[in-house]
């Protein structure tokens, strides 16, 4: 018989192992790709689908049905078609892009528009620090799947560097 060296969180104090397993396992086949997860996702060049696994993520949509509850981070898989990516943005916490399949170009930039980019392939990643403008684009002819992790269970909505995209955030959250 083993001894749990750390206490369970209050919401799991009386949970059975079956209840824990049912609530904390998520399968890719059960995820529904959300092509409208972000306010920029309906703009050519920024089209991508989010498959949410843990937490609500940076889309600002906090519908948790079928999503593993977040503690201190979120996790999702993005499907990025050829020629698409996301708009330059920041977060109040770090964000990681980990390439699972395909290739994409990740970038960081400053407020003067200076940009550094690197192409990444499978099993390569970038960790974008809080407050640093960043993003990615798939410049290949093949789809790219990347894992996205944000360092907070319920992060603030992405802070788009482009003012017009930033202003669209609230309308997106209402829709």
């Amino acid at each position: 018989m083993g001894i749990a060296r750390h206490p369970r969180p209050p919401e799991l104090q009386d949970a059975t192992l079956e209840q824990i397993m049912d609530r904390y396992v998520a399968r890719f086949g059960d995820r529904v790709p959300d092509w409208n997860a972000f306010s920029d996702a309906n703009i050519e060049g920024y089209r991508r689908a989010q498959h949410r696994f843990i937490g609500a993520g940076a889309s600002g949509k906090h519908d948790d049905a079928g999503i593993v509850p977040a503690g201190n981070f979120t996790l999702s898989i993005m499907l990025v078609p050829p020629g698409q990516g996301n708009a330059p943005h920041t977060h109040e916490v770090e964000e990681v892009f980990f390439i699972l399949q395909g290739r994409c170009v990740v970038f960081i930039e400053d407020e003067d528009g200076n940009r550094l980019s690197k192409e990444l392939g499978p099993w390569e990643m970038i960790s974008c620090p809080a407050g640093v403008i960043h993003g990615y684009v798939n410049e290949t002819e093949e789809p790219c799947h990347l894992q996205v992790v944000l360092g907070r269970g319920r992060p603030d909505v992405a802070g788009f560097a482009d003012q017009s995209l930033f202003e669209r955030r609230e309308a997106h959250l209402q829709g």
Side-chain angles (χ1 to χ4, degrees):
M1 181 169 202
I3 299 170
R5 302 294 179 186
H6 299 91
R8 289 183 181 183
E11 67 273 13
L12 297 178
Q13 285 296 321
D14 298 320
T16 67
L17 292 179
E18 289 81 9
Q19 290 169 325
I20 294 170
M21 187 68 79
D22 286 346
R23 188 64 186 113
Y24 289 88
V25 169
R27 297 181 185 276
F28 184 77
D30 296 334
R31 305 296 94 196
V32 176
D34 185 352
W35 288 92
N36 192 33
F38 306 93
S39 61
D40 65 337
N42 61 358
I43 299 171
E44 182 59 33
Y46 302 139
R47 298 184 196 286
R48 61 204 183 280
Q50 179 185 44
H51 298 79
R52 291 189 302 134
F53 281 81
I54 299 175
S59 67
K61 294 182 173 183
H62 296 298
D63 172 16
D64 294 333
I67 306 302
V68 173
N72 298 306
F73 65 93
T74 68
L75 185 145
S76 62
I77 303 298
M78 294 294 177
L79 166 56
V80 186
Q84 305 299 311
N86 66 356
H89 65 283
T90 61
H91 293 285
E92 80 282 16
V93 294
E94 68 271 27
E95 181 173 38
V96 174
F97 302 141
F98 187 95
I99 311 306
L100 299 171
Q101 184 178 41
R103 303 190 72 72
C104 78
V105 173
V106 297
F107 62 83
I108 58 172
E109 61 184 47
D110 63 23
E111 292 179 354
D112 293 327
N114 298 307
R115 179 181 281 195
L116 289 179
S117 301
K118 286 195 184 280
E119 184 177 84
L120 300 179
W123 301 97
E124 298 177 334
M125 52 81 55
I126 183 173
S127 179
C128 306
V132 173
I133 300 170
H134 61 277
Y136 55 82
V137 61
N138 179 353
E139 295 180 348
T140 74
E141 298 298 318
E142 302 293 327
C144 178
H145 282 89
L146 57 133
Q147 180 182 49
V148 179
V149 177
L150 277 156
R152 181 168 291 153
R154 284 197 177 265
D156 189 16
V157 181
F160 293 108
D162 178 278
Q163 184 63 29
S164 64
L165 290 177
F166 183 76
E167 291 169 359
R168 293 172 56 142
R169 295 182 332 154
E170 292 306 316
H172 177 74
L173 294 174
Q174 306 304 321

